[in-house]
Amino acid sequence: MRREASRHRPSRLSRFILWWLKMGLLVCLALCGAFGWFVYDALRPAPDNMPHTDGIVALTGGQGRVDTSLRLLMQNRGDKLLISGVDPQATQQDLLPPHLPDSVKDRVTLGYLARSTIENASETAAWVVDNHIHTLTVVTAGYHMRRALVELRRTLPGVTLYPYPVIPPALEHPFDRSTLHLLLREFAKWLGALAGFVHPPVGVTG
């Protein structure tokens, strides 16, 4: 009877493999859930009740970001504006509409140093210090916002951040293959940013 029972008892190797399969399934489910939340968050529109802030930063790299940040500046939602990651060949005349009043243009700074989100954060940090910024509105694409906030928190621990996401044309059809590929790539980059820097969301709303 003992020999017969031992035949039906899982071996140590089988139990080990089963445990790893269960853990793999749990990890896959967790990643699927996290990706679902990431897509939902990327598609959320900007809030209507944005407070006035000391500054606004627009992270270049997608449609609508500069225009949105200029609109917020003209609505006096912020005192000053940094456009981070501007092409070295671009001038203020290239980026700003000609009808923009000089009083508004004087509040705009073009940042030419950033070529990545990490460099956006560094460029923004230097501008924040120079301009004594304590509250900052962050303008970027919805799919880029979470990663941008992670990097900005790293360099701006004492600054309150207010996300103002832009919904680009690429997200108008979120289930297209190209859009899903974009979202998956940005999701992976966000996870990478979290893995490189884990910090509580101090002073961040939304």
Side-chain angles (χ1 to χ4, degrees):
M1 293 294 292
R2 288 184 178 178
R3 291 181 178 177
E4 189 67 24
S6 64
R7 289 180 183 175
H8 297 284
R9 187 181 303 164
S11 66
R12 182 175 300 178
L13 178 60
S14 298
R15 292 196 301 270
F16 180 76
I17 293 174
L18 183 61
W19 183 84
W20 274 108
L21 288 175
K22 289 180 179 179
M23 290 301 297
L25 179 60
L26 288 175
V27 170
C28 288
L29 290 174
L31 286 174
C32 288
F35 179 67
W37 171 85
F38 181 84
V39 173
Y40 169 78
D41 187 69
L43 295 174
R44 282 197 303 173
D48 295 326
N49 56 343
M50 285 292 294
H52 177 90
T53 56
D54 299 330
I56 303 167
V57 59
L59 309 183
T60 58
Q63 295 184 34
R65 304 181 192 185
V66 173
D67 292 342
T68 298
S69 64
L70 286 171
R71 175 172 55 81
L72 292 175
L73 185 67
M74 294 184 67
Q75 293 173 351
N76 290 317
R77 299 289 187 94
D79 295 333
K80 300 177 180 181
L81 168 63
L82 168 66
I83 303 176
S84 176
V86 176
D87 187 284
Q89 307 302 321
T91 65
Q92 196 176 69
Q93 289 73 24
D94 296 326
L95 287 178
L96 306 184
H99 64 270
L100 202 65
D102 290 339
S103 59
V104 176
K105 291 180 181 178
D106 292 341
R107 296 155 60 192
V108 179
T109 300
L110 303 185
Y112 292 98
L113 301 179
R115 292 294 173 269
S116 67
T117 303
I118 293 176
E119 292 178 355
N120 283 141
S122 298
E123 186 170 60
T124 302
W127 177 78
V128 162
V129 171
D130 290 342
N131 291 275
H132 309 287
I133 303 294
H134 301 287
T135 55
L136 182 67
T137 299
V138 182
V139 179
T140 188
Y143 59 77
H144 182 237
M145 182 61 73
R146 289 297 132 190
R147 180 160 59 98
L149 290 178
V150 168
E151 301 297 350
L152 287 168
R153 288 171 193 155
R154 185 205 302 265
T155 58
L156 302 171
V159 177
T160 303
L161 305 178
Y162 294 93
Y164 196 91
V166 175
I167 307 300
L171 294 186
E172 292 179 358
H173 305 284
F175 298 107
D176 284 355
R177 179 178 297 181
S178 59
T179 304
L180 284 174
H181 185 265
L182 169 67
L183 290 169
L184 282 168
R185 185 172 66 247
E186 288 296 326
F187 176 67
K189 290 181 179 180
W190 173 63
L191 291 180
L194 288 177
F197 169 68
V198 180
H199 193 284
V202 177
V204 179
T205 63

